[in-house]
């Protein structure tokens, strides 16, 4: 089974009938060429008694299994193709039948509904996660604003603010550097946490020096 992304490119390829060893011998997964590409550009099934005689059967990597009988059916939702179902090497017969084709078309219709439902569920999860994150962001900003207005002591403000940020970001350690009056020197005024080895063993940086200096110089996050 091939599954396409929102841009119509092959996103996943799920195979059944090959061992892990056979799969690993191939240098790369399918890339949407050959018969896969032909079916990606088709609205109709492709049924062949001998796929090796079809000029579209190209692009197979080394160690690809031998194939003769072939049946490929697109998975569609109206005018949009979501993926494809591929079958090969029908057991006991030389080729797939018209009845096989109809059955797989029915299966493709069920697969279409399943893929659409899965995508809808994923979009809902992503939207819910984004809304939750925005709510948490707003809560953090409100807490920091409360801290800034609740005290005139710089040390207290910095300690509370860094603690809030570290708790929100779930990090082990954090530091705050402030710019000195010379406008060229950054001095570490606060360190929280035990992971000191994660930072430079320095308490001062010049503008443009090290990560703290680069952030101060560019005004951009790193």
């Amino acid at each position: 089974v091939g599954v396409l992304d929102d841009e119509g490119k092959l996103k996943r390829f799920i195979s059944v009938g090959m061992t892990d060893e056979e799969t690993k011998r191939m240098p790369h997964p399918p890339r949407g060429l050959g018969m896969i590409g032909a079916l990606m550009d088709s609205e109709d099934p492709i049924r062949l008694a001998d796929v090796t005689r079809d000029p579209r059967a190209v692009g197979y990597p080394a160690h690809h299994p031998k194939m003769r009988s072939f049946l490929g059916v697109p998975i569609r939702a109206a005018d949009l193709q979501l993926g494809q179902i591929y079958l090969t090497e029908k057991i006991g017969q030389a080729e797939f039948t018209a009845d096989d084709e109809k059955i797989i078309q029915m299966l493709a219709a069920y697969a279409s509904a399943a893929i659409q439902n899965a995508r809808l569920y994923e979009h809902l999860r992503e939207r819910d996660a984004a809304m939750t994150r925005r709510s948490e962001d707003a809560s953090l900003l409100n807490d920091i604003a409360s801290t800034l207005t609740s005290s005139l002591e710089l040390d207290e403000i910095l300690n509370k603010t860094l603690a809030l940020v570290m708790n929100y970001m779930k990090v082990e350690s954090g530091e705050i550097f402030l710019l000195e009056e010379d406008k060229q020197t950054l001095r570490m005024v606060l360190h929280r946490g035990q992971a000191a080895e994660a930072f430079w063993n320095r308490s001062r940086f010049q503008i443009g020096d090290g990560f703290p200096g680069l952030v101060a110089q560019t005004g951009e996050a790193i």
Side-chain angles (χ1 to χ4, degrees):
V1 177
V3 181
L4 306 183
D5 60 18
D6 292 336
E7 297 179 356
K9 297 180 180 179
L10 190 63
K11 177 182 180 181
R12 294 185 62 196
F13 194 87
I14 304 155
S15 62
V16 175
M18 291 187 295
T19 65
D20 291 340
E21 290 73 18
E22 289 174 324
T23 302
K24 291 176 181 177
R25 288 178 64 193
M26 288 186 286
H28 60 78
R31 295 173 174 172
L33 305 176
M35 296 306 299
I36 293 178
L39 196 58
M40 287 170 64
D41 295 331
S42 174
E43 296 183 4
D44 301 313
I46 298 176
R47 180 162 53 95
L48 302 168
D50 188 351
V51 69
T52 64
R53 297 189 177 187
D54 194 290
R56 297 169 293 182
V58 297
Y60 298 115
H63 307 295
H64 191 284
K66 301 295 184 182
M67 298 189 303
R68 293 186 69 86
S69 59
F70 177 88
L71 174 60
V73 176
I75 302 171
R76 302 184 62 84
D79 295 332
L80 179 66
Q81 185 168 156
L82 305 176
Q84 310 86 25
I85 298 175
Y86 304 94
L87 300 174
T88 186
E89 295 298 279
K90 183 173 176 64
I91 298 173
Q93 296 185 38
E95 60 182 295
F96 292 93
T97 66
D99 286 341
D100 293 332
E101 184 177 315
K102 291 178 181 179
I103 290 172
I104 301 306
Q105 284 181 296
M106 292 175 60
L107 178 60
Y110 287 119
S112 172
I115 291 173
Q116 290 183 88
N117 288 340
R119 287 183 174 178
L120 176 60
Y121 177 67
E122 186 63 28
H123 289 158
L124 290 174
R125 285 185 57 188
E126 291 174 356
R127 187 182 69 174
D128 183 63
M131 293 177 65
T132 299
R133 184 58 182 263
R134 283 196 293 268
S135 176
E136 292 173 349
D137 289 345
S139 177
L140 173 65
L141 294 175
N142 286 335
D143 290 342
I144 291 176
S146 298
T147 298
L148 295 175
T149 58
S150 64
S151 174
L152 296 177
E153 295 294 329
L154 179 61
D155 289 345
E156 182 181 357
I157 290 173
L158 294 178
N159 266 289
K160 289 183 177 180
T161 299
L162 186 55
L164 286 169
V165 170
M166 289 176 60
N167 182 65
Y168 175 73
M169 298 293 292
K170 295 180 174 60
V171 297
E172 294 181 8
S173 189
E175 292 179 349
I176 291 179
F177 286 81
L178 293 183
L179 191 63
E180 299 277 64
E181 292 183 359
D182 63 6
K183 305 300 181 182
Q184 294 297 317
T185 306
L186 291 160
R187 177 174 62 89
M188 185 175 69
V189 295
L190 180 61
H191 173 96
R192 290 178 64 94
Q194 301 299 317
E197 68 274 7
F199 292 98
W200 297 82
N201 293 318
R202 292 168 57 181
S203 60
R204 290 179 182 271
F205 288 90
Q206 296 300 114
I207 296 294
D209 182 22
F211 290 123
L214 285 173
V215 171
Q217 182 181 54
T218 63
E220 297 180 356
I222 296 178

